[in-house]
Amino acid sequence: MEGSIDLVSLVTHASIFVKIIMGILLFASLLCWVTIFRLSSRLAIATRADNYFEQTFWSGVELPTLYKGVQGNPDRSGLEQIFFIGFSEFLKLLKNTQARSEIIEGVERKLRVGLGRQQLELEQGLPLLASIASVSPYIGLLGTVWGIMTAFMGLSTSAQATLAAVAPGIAEALIATALGLFAAIPAALAFNHFTAKNDKVYQSRSLFCDEMTGMLLRQTVDTATNLTTGLNSPAMMPPLSR
């Protein structure tokens, strides 16, 4: 049909530099979607695992028993790992007969470290999405400027300086801008979406850390001794499964 756009023809007739720009942008777009699917899968697994562990935590099971079950799970992560780190520090400080305030401060430090590490693992890929969203339009613009410059330079060797002579070159160049936006828009939307989701997970885990600290704070020295003794009992909770 007259006036239709043949994208394949425009791409194949573009200059080498513009083709390189297009290749970079296509690769960035592919990388963006792979990262989106990975983040989505990782977030879904983390949310499901955290919900399961919270249900177990608030089911009334004794903390030493829960600790033994978590200790037997080599693939622990999320809240499970945060609890394991915090309660391990609690038991270690109890054995060293530390003051109650020092025990709680030590547990809080460990919980913050565990929370930070788990959050870093969950957010892997977000900086890449931010980079693609911010850089891709400028890369596409670079290809467009180069292509338009090449098209106008070609007028010097053309017999007729008309719009028809430069229109194909300009159209080829503008494809680079379109590809830049094609890569940047999904990346920006995904970055905002997953940032909000990860913040929600962080707040939930942070509240759990506060609640766990409050539970340990209410433990008296005698109760803490019973907790330590309970770890030597033969009763064990099987490793948590998902």
Side-chain angles (χ1 to χ4, degrees):
M1 184 177 65
E2 186 179 357
S4 62
I5 301 175
D6 188 354
L7 293 178
V8 176
S9 177
L10 291 175
V11 171
T12 55
H13 287 86
S15 65
I16 297 297
F17 183 80
V18 175
K19 287 179 180 178
I20 293 174
I21 293 295
M22 292 178 181
I24 293 173
L25 292 173
L26 286 174
F27 176 75
S29 179
L30 177 62
L31 197 60
C32 168
W33 285 106
V34 171
T35 304
I36 288 173
F37 286 123
R38 285 181 177 176
L39 281 169
S40 179
S41 175
R42 189 186 307 145
L43 186 62
I45 293 173
T47 302
R48 186 165 57 249
D50 285 359
N51 290 338
Y52 174 81
F53 180 78
E54 279 203 275
Q55 290 177 1
T56 305
F57 183 84
W58 296 111
S59 65
V61 63
E62 294 292 333
L63 293 184
T65 306
L66 180 60
Y67 176 75
K68 278 194 171 185
V70 171
Q71 191 177 29
N73 181 15
D75 300 324
R76 55 182 176 268
S77 62
L79 281 183
E80 198 174 1
Q81 176 66 7
I82 293 170
F83 167 80
F84 176 79
I85 292 174
F87 201 75
S88 296
E89 183 69 8
F90 175 70
L91 295 176
K92 184 177 73 174
L93 294 176
L94 277 180
K95 291 180 181 178
N96 294 334
T97 62
Q98 299 286 341
R100 187 177 181 183
S101 60
E102 294 179 353
I103 292 175
I104 297 303
E105 289 176 2
V107 171
E108 286 179 339
R109 284 195 299 269
K110 279 294 185 179
L111 287 175
R112 285 195 298 268
V113 171
L115 176 61
R117 287 177 177 172
Q118 292 303 308
Q119 205 64 23
L120 284 176
E121 292 181 7
L122 189 63
E123 294 176 357
Q124 287 180 356
L126 281 180
L128 177 61
L129 289 179
S131 298
I132 293 174
S134 60
V135 173
S136 293
Y138 295 103
I139 296 177
L141 183 60
L142 174 62
T144 298
V145 171
W146 185 275
I148 292 175
M149 181 180 65
T150 303
F152 278 106
M153 288 178 62
L155 287 177
S156 61
T157 59
S158 177
Q160 287 185 326
T162 62
L163 181 60
V166 296
I170 294 176
E172 295 164 6
L174 290 175
I175 294 178
T177 298
L179 289 176
L181 296 175
F182 182 76
I185 293 174
L189 292 175
F191 176 80
N192 293 332
H193 172 75
F194 289 115
T195 297
K197 290 288 187 179
N198 286 332
D199 285 344
K200 184 178 180 181
V201 172
Y202 179 84
Q203 293 299 328
S204 176
R205 290 176 173 178
S206 181
L207 287 174
F208 173 84
C209 292
D210 292 339
E211 291 167 343
M212 181 177 172
T213 302
M215 290 180 64
L216 297 178
L217 183 62
R218 291 190 295 270
Q219 299 292 337
T220 63
V221 175
D222 292 338
T223 305
T225 303
N226 293 334
L227 287 174
T228 308
T229 305
L231 290 174
N232 298 322
S233 64
M236 290 184 61
M237 177 182 176
L240 295 175
S241 59
R242 298 186 181 92

